[in-house]
Amino acid sequence: WVAFSWVGLAGYVRAEVLRVRKMDYVVAARALGAGKIRILFKHVLPNVLTPILTFTPFIVAASIASLAVLDYLGLGLPPPTASWGELLKQSKENLHSWWLAFFPFFSLFGTMLLINFIGEALRDAFDSRQAA
């Protein structure tokens, strides 16, 4: 999951580039004689940068969660490496020590929650369709 999480974003960015290149301002810039590089950096890239900035935090949060799940199942990092999934796995083996599950779980939960809040804030900040 972590290695291939960029594929969905790349497909979305490609679709946005194909959509933006048909917009009136890109056609007008091309008609005025602007070069391909100028059109790309002045018109297309700023409009395509928005989905990249808004979807990246959600991809990071999903990658953190999948890495924690793989570590919990024993399929992730080697055992001496500390990770949230490994700490939760160790807490399952020591149920009488509640703090072994409490702190890794809420650290993981808090990190994913904050990353999702950052993603929501970025999406709201860069949403061009939202009324001013």
Side-chain angles (χ1 to χ4, degrees):
W1 169 258
V2 176
F4 299 107
S5 61
W6 61 272
V7 175
L9 180 63
Y12 189 77
V13 168
R14 181 181 182 276
E16 284 291 314
V17 167
L18 293 176
R19 184 184 66 84
V20 167
R21 76 176 185 171
K22 300 291 184 189
M23 295 294 225
D24 292 338
Y25 55 88
V26 175
V27 174
R30 191 176 300 132
L32 288 172
K36 290 183 181 181
I37 300 296
R38 180 170 177 85
I39 291 172
L40 180 68
F41 283 107
K42 282 290 203 177
H43 300 290
V44 176
L45 190 61
N47 291 308
V48 174
L49 197 61
T50 302
I52 294 172
L53 291 176
T54 55
F55 286 133
T56 301
F58 299 112
I59 292 172
V60 169
S63 298
I64 290 172
S66 64
L67 185 62
V69 167
L70 287 174
D71 286 337
Y72 180 78
L73 295 174
L75 301 171
L77 301 171
T81 307
S83 66
W84 281 323
E86 180 67 28
L87 292 172
L88 289 172
K89 183 178 177 183
Q90 290 175 6
S91 69
K92 184 184 76 167
E93 297 166 359
N94 300 315
L95 291 176
H96 59 278
S97 304
W98 61 269
W99 59 89
L100 292 177
F102 181 80
F103 293 112
F105 173 76
F106 282 106
S107 298
L108 179 63
F109 176 75
T111 301
M112 291 181 57
L113 187 68
L114 288 176
I115 289 173
N116 281 322
F117 282 159
I118 290 169
E120 289 287 332
L122 283 173
R123 188 174 67 180
D124 289 343
F126 288 110
D127 191 12
S128 61
R129 296 179 203 116
Q130 192 176 20

